[in-house]
Amino acid sequence: AQTVTQSQPEMSVQEAETVTLSCTYDTSESDYYLFWYKQPPSRQMILVIRQEAYKQQNATENRFSVNFQKAAKSFSLKISDSQLGDAAMYFCAYRITGTASKLTFGTGTRLQVTL
Amino acid sequence: DTGVSQDPRHKITKRGQNVTFRCDPISEHNRLYWYRQTLGQGPEFLTYFQNEAQLEKSRLLSDRFSAERPKGSFSTLEIQRTEQGDSAMYLCASSLALGTLGGTAQETQYFGPGTRLLVL
């Protein structure tokens, strides 16, 4: 079974600083996708960034970037120039290819952004 | 784009009662997913539909749970004889899948706001 582990239940960052959220996963598959979702308080979950496992280049979306280490099964999220609106739960998720596209989520990291 | 909507947003019920939740996906999306999220956990997959066909069910989905998507549009999730352990947030998501199997990274799942269930 695939598992996703987020070892940081909570993180804090000052506004305008950079923070990195960790995620590791366990799979025997070679082809899969990885995602980071953001869940603001009392609001719905939205996709932040995604990475195809076959791509060596790390994905980037504006202030959000990932460090994908396939051999280490690691997929961290870096948020640069943190803003108050970045405060949320962040979930790492995994999906294999070729079959049902259900997502397997980690337990989440709560990010606080301070002034 | 009106997004994924879910109704009701909150439900309080007594143990043993039946409850039904509704999800309206984004109109052109052919896939619809149900997830359950308990406090301190990430969402866990329950089931999904491609159009009106229910293609996969998790072992989490006991016999008391049933989901339908009769015309390939909205979906309902019913829980019979609710138990306190059913208390959770029930999330619906939809996506547009271009193939019949699997998915690409471009198949983004859009989530609704969830229905929070409390069983007393």
Side-chain angles (χ1 to χ4, degrees), chain B residues 20-93:
Chain B
T20 300
F21 309 141
R22 176 179 171 124
C23 171
D24 286 89
I26 294 172
S27 58
E28 66 269 24
H29 284 185
N30 55 358
R31 284 189 177 172
L32 186 149
Y33 307 80
W34 286 99
Y35 293 85
R36 182 172 69 186
Q37 184 178 20
T38 53
L39 278 176
Q41 300 296 319
E44 296 174 292
F45 170 78
L46 293 178
T47 188
Y48 97 100
F49 294 83
Q50 174 137 334
N51 301 312
E52 66 276 6
Q54 188 173 19
L55 296 187
E56 185 173 349
K57 293 194 290 186
S58 163
R59 281 172 286 183
L60 292 175
L61 214 63
S62 75
D63 292 345
R64 297 184 297 105
F65 288 70
S66 62
E68 294 182 341
R69 195 183 182 198
K71 297 182 180 178
S73 56
F74 73 92
S75 175
T76 58
L77 178 68
E78 181 183 16
I79 309 175
Q80 296 182 326
R81 305 181 304 281
T82 52
E83 301 173 355
Q84 289 182 326
D86 297 331
S87 296
M89 175 78 86
Y90 290 84
L91 298 171
C92 175

Side-chain angles (χ1 to χ4, degrees), chain B residues 6 8 12 56 95 98 102 107:
Chain B
Q6 293 187 244
I12 300 175
E56 185 173 349
S95 69
L98 299 179
E107 183 202 335

